[in-house]
Amino acid sequence: MRTFLALAVAVACLWVLSCNSGASSADGGMGGAGGGEGGGGAGSAGGNNRTGVVTVARVCAPTFVTPDAGRPDSGTPTDAGASDAGASDAGPFDAGLVDAGPFDAGLVAGGVKCTGYASASFTQSPPAGCTPLDAGPCQMVVCSLANGPVRAHLENAGAVSITGTTLGTIRLNYLNPDAGYPGFSSTRDLFDGGETLSMGAAGADVPAFAPRSVIAPGPIALTAPGCDGGCGTFSRTAALTVSWAGDAGVAVLFSSASSTTVTTAECHFTQSPGEVPLEVMKLFGATADGFTNSVSISPESRTTFVNAGWNLSVRAWGPGVSGSFE
């Protein structure tokens, strides 16, 4: 899920979250998220560009260990002796891990480790060199790198509070227009699924808003596109169908980057199947032309609202599927 985190930050950096935001945490790590709201028909996103988003996310990945440091077991696939390299065995398992034969061979799965992060970001306009576009359930941002890295001016909404997490209340504090709100991360889950998470802000340059709530999403099983390791080739001449099993909606994040241009998109679907419009797909460059393309699809619960002229959303993301595409 490292790809998921990197992609989330990449999308966020272009409009509603600074690429320079760090992490604040009592137990280490790094987090960040961002995005915008889907619009109407395809074309330039006009009207009010005052946007903000608060995100809480759960990210899970398998953990691996090297059992026995390559030492031979007692000569059978399941240990028959009383000890193995000084540590007591427990029948067919060795320190909680199944042996792979007379010799332990390389890394074996040791379980799944889940971590959490939270972020907030508010902007009044896209950065210089970037053009926001809307297409149905998706919002895109196309940025030129001709004048160097893209930098957003990030606004202050006062202290942002997130309640209902497994760690209790999380508070995010604004630093400055370049750094915005450093993300919070934890080596523990912030939710399991089904909890009520509430997010609000005390107000400053961005007016205060009362806590809005979402129900933390449960897991989904992605059925299309197939992303087992990689996601294959996506057509640039047809819409992309996204389908899944599970009660949650999904967020689909895309990034297509070259040395001169970065295009990102964020699409939201509440029911399966969803369709990423052709207007979005045709914006992504080809790997043969020097583009690096990534996609992430995650369960999502989201509430959107307008507060004193600001288009705002609060959301929770669950563990998703991510990969590269041609």
Side-chain angles (χ1 to χ4, degrees):
M1 296 305 297
R2 291 178 185 271
T3 303
F4 169 82
L5 284 171
L7 180 58
V9 173
V11 171
C13 283
L14 296 182
W15 196 353
V16 294
L17 185 67
S18 169
C19 299
N20 300 317
S21 292
S24 62
S25 173
D27 50 7
M30 180 175 181
E37 302 308 309
S44 178
N48 184 11
N49 283 325
R50 293 182 174 184
T51 63
V53 60
V54 183
T55 305
V56 181
R58 180 175 186 245
V59 179
C60 299
T63 58
F64 295 89
V65 298
T66 305
D68 296 323
R71 297 184 179 89
D73 289 330
S74 58
T76 62
T78 57
D79 294 326
S83 62
D84 186 26
S88 297
D89 287 327
F93 296 88
D94 199 18
L97 299 170
V98 178
D99 287 329
F103 292 83
D104 290 310
L107 299 177
V108 299
V112 175
K113 173 64 175 177
C114 296
T115 58
Y117 71 88
S119 68
S121 184
F122 305 87
T123 63
Q124 295 207 52
S125 62
C130 294
T131 301
L133 302 169
D134 286 335
C138 306
Q139 183 181 70
M140 301 84 76
V141 183
V142 180
C143 293
S144 169
L145 305 181
N147 296 320
V150 173
R151 302 183 69 87
H153 182 94
L154 300 166
E155 305 293 341
N156 183 6
V160 173
S161 297
I162 303 168
T163 62
T165 78
T166 57
L167 298 181
T169 299
I170 295 171
R171 287 185 173 84
L172 305 177
N173 294 308
Y174 180 84
L175 288 184
N176 55 57
D178 290 326
Y181 289 84
F184 173 91
S185 70
S186 172
T187 56
R188 294 173 51 188
D189 286 341
L190 296 182
F191 60 83
D192 295 316
E195 300 92 336
T196 298
L197 305 172
S198 299
M199 308 169 220
D205 298 327
V206 180
F209 59 91
R212 296 324 202 264
S213 297
V214 297
I215 303 300
I220 62 168
L222 184 68
T223 54
C227 285
D228 186 7
C231 299
T233 300
F234 290 172
S235 173
R236 307 306 199 272
T237 60
L240 175 71
T241 297
V242 179
S243 60
W244 67 95
D247 295 333
V250 300
V252 185
L253 281 68
F254 297 91
S255 175
S256 181
S258 71
S259 60
T260 59
T261 304
V262 177
T263 298
T264 64
E266 183 172 323
C267 307
H268 303 274
F269 303 105
T270 58
Q271 294 182 332
S272 177
E275 189 173 90
V276 179
L278 169 61
E279 291 84 354
V280 177
M281 301 307 299
K282 68 183 182 182
L283 290 176
F284 303 139
T287 54
D289 295 330
F291 284 82
T292 300
N293 300 316
S294 299
V295 63
S296 176
I297 304 170
S298 301
E300 175 187 62
S301 180
R302 184 176 69 135
T303 294
T304 63
F305 57 100
V306 177
N307 181 68
W310 285 77
N311 297 317
L312 304 175
S313 66
V314 298
R315 62 193 183 185
W317 282 345
V321 175
S322 61
S324 61
F325 66 92
E326 298 294 325

